[in-house]
Amino acid sequence: MTDVAARVREVLPSVRADLEALVRIESVWADPARRDEVRRSAEAVSKLLSEAGFGDVRIISEGGAPAVIAHHPAPPGAPTVLLYAHHDVQPEGDRAQWHSPPFEPTERDGRLYGRGTADDKAGIATHLAAFRAHGGNPPVGVTVFVEGEEESGSPSLGAMLAAHRDELAADVIVIADSDNWSPDLPSLTVSLRGLADCVVEVATLDHGLHSGMWGGVAPDAVTALIRLLASLHDDDGNVAVEGLHEASAADVDFPAERVRRDAGLLDGVREIGSGSVVQRLWAKPAITVIGIDTTPIASASNTLIPRARAKVSMRVAPGGDAAEHLAALTRHLEQHAPWGARVTVTPGDVGQPYAIDATGPVYDAARAAFRQAWGADAIDAGVGGSIPFIAEFAKAYPEAKILVTGVEDPDTQAHSINESLHLGVLERAATAEALLLESLAGGQERSDRGL
Ligand SMILES: [Zn+2]
């Protein structure tokens, strides 16, 4: 173990330099003007992987952004591990709010600031470090797959997995694109909530009415819509829709002060819902109103508004079915309109939740690697949001064991301004991954694991 840790420490300065070079490339696939940058970024990743010792490196695309596949063959009898990351990044947002230029990696207080320093170019850096720590010749087969459009919802991932099925096949898939509980405490992400949304329209009148003539008798649609939306929660902020699934989260303490700080709750504003914080974030449904269409204030007049609509977004607990949840939400909306107001619900996106059965020898090996690298046990974490591409991998390779790891921590601010990577976390994540590659090769234990 010390050997591997020491070798990671040796290769880290070069990996850090390579990470910085990648961050300087503005690989924002969502911005059509910067798609050449994404191509340049794929070429840079491909070059790094070749130089690290992968014999077979290719840039592929299936009508979308370029991705990179690199393969190092498995020694006889050894398993193959697929290491995933993505080289595209979120747009940088308002440049003026960055404390240092978003595409100029800058170190402050042990953190490296810049767009993509963590999400997810640090995933690439982790894989490079683990591979280089083994001198470019790890005791297992390694395939690195670096996608280029994750931040745009991975539209062609399914096609890539289908077209390159055999090249990407692996016994273990490590997806390094999630976060850690803290810079000192690693997480193994084992569940993700799903998503279902809809647009609800409420109509009360066949045309607008003078509010002085009819106010007090005829209901306006905005007030009716607000009362309908209010019925989605009880007074404590628990979701009040019937028939939704609830799972159970790990027993981890998420202190109230940390909730206030991380979420930016204003003074005096209370948390909503009941149950532990992680139960509410990872294992219970949540409903949020994410948009309302009605008359803007600037053009408001003394009129009873005849119709109004809102977009309602629901997070679905692991184990629930997103389509059934959307049906339950629709039923609730149709049944709770006040004053006989007419309700029309238009279904939107549906994304299934996901839960990994994180038991068995591969997960034991991963937990042991985490413990050695971090000096702490990994916690089984949920993610409140959805990462649809994880389900794509599970569907394409139902036999593979999936490990969702990452290099983010609560201060990373992925997708936001001033994104940063904790440099200690990079070292620990890379060490854990290098140790995992070593232990998955593990001689006689291997057959016990069914590998
Ligand atoms: Zn990411």
Side-chain angles (χ1 to χ4, degrees):
M1 131 74 186
T2 35
D3 269 9
V4 171
R7 287 200 301 268
V8 168
R9 218 165 294 130
E10 268 165 39
V11 302
L12 219 53
S14 69
V15 168
R16 154 104 184 252
D18 294 335
L19 170 61
E20 294 191 4
L22 290 176
V23 171
R24 291 192 180 94
I25 304 175
E26 303 190 15
S27 51
V28 182
W29 183 251
D31 176 2
R34 285 187 276 188
R35 292 201 161 173
D36 278 343
E37 286 284 278
V38 180
R39 289 179 196 105
R40 205 156 71 80
S41 152
E43 278 156 23
V45 169
S46 140
K47 188 158 171 278
L48 287 173
L49 291 165
S50 296
E51 288 167 358
F54 284 92
D56 178 12
V57 184
R58 284 191 297 148
I59 297 178
I60 61 159
S61 89
E62 290 297 325
V68 184
I69 300 181
H71 186 62
H72 168 80
T80 293
V81 183
L82 176 72
L83 304 175
Y84 169 94
H86 61 88
H87 67 94
D88 61 312
V89 296
Q90 282 279 328
E92 67 278 20
D94 182 3
R95 283 189 187 230
Q97 291 191 52
W98 284 76
H99 300 316
S100 51
F103 296 101
E104 182 47 53
T106 307
E107 183 178 344
R108 289 191 297 275
D109 302 327
R111 304 189 69 94
L112 187 66
Y113 287 81
R115 173 57 86 230
T117 50
D119 183 14
D120 183 30
K121 289 174 175 173
I124 305 169
T126 302
H127 302 330
L128 272 176
F131 195 76
R132 284 188 191 154
H134 285 286
N137 191 22
V140 288
V142 174
T143 303
V144 175
F145 177 45
V146 184
E147 199 199 340
E149 54 182 18
E150 193 277 337
E151 301 295 4
S152 304
S154 306
S156 64
L157 178 64
M160 282 195 279
L161 293 181
H164 300 273
R165 202 184 165 72
D166 295 342
E167 292 148 82
L168 293 170
D171 304 287
V172 178
I173 299 175
V174 178
I175 295 177
D177 191 24
S178 192
D179 64 0
N180 292 288
W181 184 254
S182 76
D184 309 308
L185 203 53
S187 297
L188 201 51
T189 299
V190 297
S191 73
L192 305 152
R193 284 196 292 192
L195 175 80
D197 63 39
C198 66
V199 171
V200 55
E201 180 171 287
V202 169
T204 52
L205 303 164
D206 66 6
H207 61 284
L209 294 173
H210 190 299
S211 64
M213 304 280 285
W214 289 102
V217 170
D220 73 275
V222 178
T223 303
L225 175 65
I226 289 166
R227 292 182 76 100
L228 173 58
L229 297 174
S231 74
L232 294 168
H233 297 89
D234 68 16
D235 287 348
D236 294 324
N238 290 295
V239 170
V241 174
E242 296 281 321
L244 303 185
H245 178 74
E246 178 172 343
S248 67
D251 182 16
V252 232
D253 182 40
F254 197 142
E257 320 80 75
R258 182 170 158 187
V259 173
R260 300 205 76 78
R261 189 196 61 147
D262 290 3
L265 286 186
L266 299 179
D267 278 348
V269 175
R270 295 191 301 273
E271 291 177 25
I272 56 170
S274 55
S276 78
V277 173
V278 296
Q279 180 69 15
R280 279 174 282 158
L281 289 177
W282 301 342
K284 287 179 83 160
I287 293 181
T288 313
V289 178
I290 58 171
I292 293 187
D293 282 353
T294 182
T295 306
I297 290 170
S299 44
S301 62
N302 291 320
T303 302
L304 299 180
I305 293 169
R307 55 185 65 228
R309 41 186 218 149
K311 184 161 185 179
V312 179
S313 166
M314 174 164 55
R315 295 291 171 178
V316 179
D321 179 83
E324 282 171 19
H325 278 61
L326 182 54
L329 175 62
T330 302
R331 244 179 347 260
H332 179 101
L333 291 167
E334 287 169 350
Q335 290 169 359
H336 286 77
W339 315 315
R342 296 213 188 146
V343 173
T344 312
V345 179
T346 308
D349 288 335
V350 168
Q352 292 296 351
Y354 189 61
I356 293 168
D357 173 18
T359 58
V362 167
Y363 295 97
D364 292 345
R367 289 178 206 283
F370 273 121
R371 194 175 307 121
Q372 277 183 289
W374 291 70
D377 281 321
I379 69 158
D380 278 4
V383 169
S386 314
I387 314 183
F389 70 84
I390 292 177
E392 295 262 17
F393 278 103
K395 197 169 73 188
Y397 302 106
E399 303 297 317
K401 303 293 179 204
I402 298 182
L403 293 163
V404 182
T405 65
V407 275
E408 295 176 19
D409 71 280
D411 290 329
T412 290
Q413 296 194 193
H415 297 201
S416 182
I417 50 165
N418 299 310
E419 173 180 351
S420 67
L421 165 73
H422 188 292
L423 290 163
V425 167
L426 175 65
E427 178 175 344
R428 290 186 276 283
T431 304
E433 193 168 292
L435 286 165
L436 177 67
L437 295 183
E438 184 177 70
S439 74
L440 288 174
Q444 69 199 37
E445 297 156 43
R446 191 158 72 227
S447 58
D448 303 341
R449 284 188 211 121
L451 286 172

